[in-house]
Amino acid sequence: MSVSKRRGMAMVAVMAAALAVGCSLPASGVPARGSDDGVQRGLDRLVHKDKYPAALAATVGRDGRTRNDASGVADLKTGAKVPVDGQVRAGSNTKTFTAVVVLQLVGEGKVALDAPIEKYLPNLVRGEGIDGRRITVRQLLQHTSGLPEYSDAIGDLTGKDRHTYLQPRTLLDTALAHKALFAPGTSWSYSNTNYLLAGLLIEKVTGRPLAEQITHRIIQRIGLRHTYFPGAGDERIREAHPQSYFAAKPGGPLENITEMDPSWGWAAGQVISTPSELNRFFAALFGGKLLKPAQLVQMRTTVPADGLGTGARYGLGVTSTPLSCGGLMWGHGGDIPGFKTRPAVTDDGRAVTIAVTANQAPTKQGPADVKALLDSALCKK
């Protein structure tokens, strides 16, 4: 999900969004290793040419089989082997989880998409050019609210501030201290603040914690065994995982930043998952297993998303991007210090998630090569 932010704060970046047809994946079983020579060669290029410490991929072909590939090392210090389908910080893919819960509440009649956020969070959203009475729930989920970005002003998340716990209200206060980017509904700009408010909306309407709602309504519902929302103070990644790294500039020294407090991401970027389970999540979503048809239609109704790539469009927590072979890939994407993840599915059931263990690319070409591999893997006949 990538919108440029200052030094290592980008959690964003996106790659795809919302179509629903036939994206089914096996519910269980051990994925095979060594899917496809083309994918493996692409991962090897990301490691050897683009200098990512490790690159992982999970793919689902037209035959419905899930396969995993990996390249590089899990730990630059020890040279340890990359774990097959290891856990990674999913970054802004969390936004899709949050949007699903909001849309489930819409389907239950508890939230109205075109109601102002003021209805659910009265007297909270106020600032210079900012008025919660004029910003709708839909505009939050679609990044058309004009709200400023909080993550640009919360400290050095790759250095001294990476172990700091930040409460949602602290993050919101940081955002509201800045003026609006534009009048609601008049433009588009990616802002984590939108999903911060979506998380607060969920907690207000349900009377329960966001992490619990995502867990019960999505993770447990579709049987994701290696996906979770870290609890307060949980700085580690629980299961087998590669280490993650950050360089202040392309070609700069790589620093291990695997352990961090992800609270600053919260409803916009806190989830941990694996490449294969991100495939399963997006396939279940677009296959109609998490939302009613009316809400799925709303989710995949998109607007132009300048800055996310040629032809990219944003729905409600999802984006669509044209494929070089025709058609669209749908999903989201995530950048959080140390990890970049790109999941995408197609309407005929193909799915690919690529993860690399540095979100600030060691080389300038790295992000383009990740995107190219995602496209080529989905376009393979």
Side-chain angles (χ1 to χ4, degrees):
M1 8 177 211
S2 175
V3 168
S4 156
K5 296 184 174 48
R6 75 178 202 184
R7 190 178 179 266
M9 293 182 187
M11 272 190 308
V12 215
V14 268
M15 220 125 241
L19 199 3
V21 196
C23 298
S24 59
L25 297 179
S28 61
V30 179
R33 182 162 190 169
S35 65
D36 172 308
D37 288 344
V39 172
Q40 184 63 59
R41 285 195 300 270
L43 296 179
D44 291 342
R45 282 194 298 272
L46 292 175
V47 169
H48 299 303
K49 173 188 169 187
D50 297 314
K51 307 304 181 184
Y52 288 107
L56 302 83
T59 62
V60 180
R62 289 184 174 88
D63 60 2
R65 293 186 61 199
T66 298
R67 303 171 178 89
N68 289 298
D69 290 280
S71 185
V73 294
D75 188 322
L76 288 174
K77 183 179 291 187
T78 67
K81 189 175 183 179
V82 181
V84 175
D85 198 33
Q87 285 185 330
V88 296
R89 296 191 189 277
S92 283
N93 291 295
T94 304
K95 291 181 175 67
T96 311
F97 286 78
T98 299
V100 167
V101 176
V102 172
L103 288 167
Q104 287 175 343
L105 294 172
V106 171
E108 294 164 12
K110 297 174 182 176
V111 171
L113 271 177
D114 294 310
I117 190 61
E118 181 79 7
K119 177 178 179 180
Y120 309 102
L121 301 172
N123 303 313
L124 181 63
V125 186
R126 296 287 191 278
E128 186 177 351
I130 299 170
D131 187 341
R133 293 167 294 188
R134 299 178 57 214
I135 297 171
T136 67
V137 174
R138 184 191 302 275
Q139 289 166 345
L140 295 176
L141 297 183
Q142 201 153 45
H143 295 301
T144 57
S145 69
L147 287 170
E149 173 59 73
Y150 71 77
S151 71
D152 286 339
I154 56 174
D156 178 8
L157 296 175
T158 62
K160 64 182 180 65
D161 298 316
R162 110 170 174 252
H163 301 294
T164 301
Y165 174 72
L166 293 168
Q167 296 182 353
R169 283 298 303 271
T170 300
L171 299 171
L172 182 60
D173 289 346
T174 299
L176 296 179
H178 297 79
K179 66 180 180 180
L181 302 178
F182 49 80
T186 62
S187 189
W188 185 90
S189 182
Y190 195 105
S191 174
N192 291 298
T193 307
N194 291 312
Y195 278 78
L196 178 66
L197 282 167
L200 292 172
L201 163 67
I202 289 167
E203 293 198 331
K204 183 64 178 291
V205 170
T206 65
R208 302 299 304 169
L210 172 67
E212 177 190 277
Q213 291 297 295
I214 286 177
T215 300
H216 290 174
R217 289 172 171 269
I218 300 173
I219 293 172
Q220 293 176 346
R221 181 171 171 179
I222 59 176
L224 301 179
R225 295 180 298 167
H226 308 289
T227 299
Y228 68 99
F229 197 104
D234 191 354
E235 296 197 2
R236 298 187 178 187
I237 299 175
R238 296 175 186 171
E239 299 177 17
H241 62 276
Q243 301 295 293
S244 63
Y245 297 88
F246 172 79
K249 61 182 180 179
L254 289 168
E255 177 189 357
N256 188 323
I257 57 170
T258 308
E259 290 190 15
M260 67 170 62
D261 191 313
S263 57
W264 65 274
W266 199 54
Q270 196 162 331
V271 163
I272 288 174
S273 189
T274 71
S276 70
E277 291 209 335
L278 287 172
N279 281 347
R280 288 182 57 198
F281 165 62
F282 282 102
L285 171 58
F286 303 147
K289 296 180 180 178
L290 289 170
L291 293 177
K292 296 177 181 178
Q295 280 69 61
L296 196 54
V297 168
Q298 295 293 331
M299 174 174 262
R300 64 176 183 250
T301 300
T302 60
V303 298
D306 295 339
L308 297 184
T310 303
R313 298 177 66 88
Y314 204 93
L316 304 184
V318 290
T319 62
S320 65
T321 304
L323 286 165
S324 63
C325 53
L328 297 170
M329 57 181 171
W330 302 88
H332 203 284
D335 288 271
I336 191 166
F339 288 106
K340 177 188 292 290
T341 53
R342 293 293 182 272
V345 299
T346 64
D347 60 353
D348 65 356
R350 291 166 288 159
V352 177
T353 293
I354 296 169
V356 290
T357 57
N359 74 302
Q360 294 291 328
T363 67
K364 291 182 179 180
Q365 184 62 25
D369 287 344
V370 171
K371 183 177 180 179
L373 178 56
L374 189 67
D375 180 272
S376 65
L378 287 169
C379 283
K380 182 177 174 60
K381 300 300 183 184

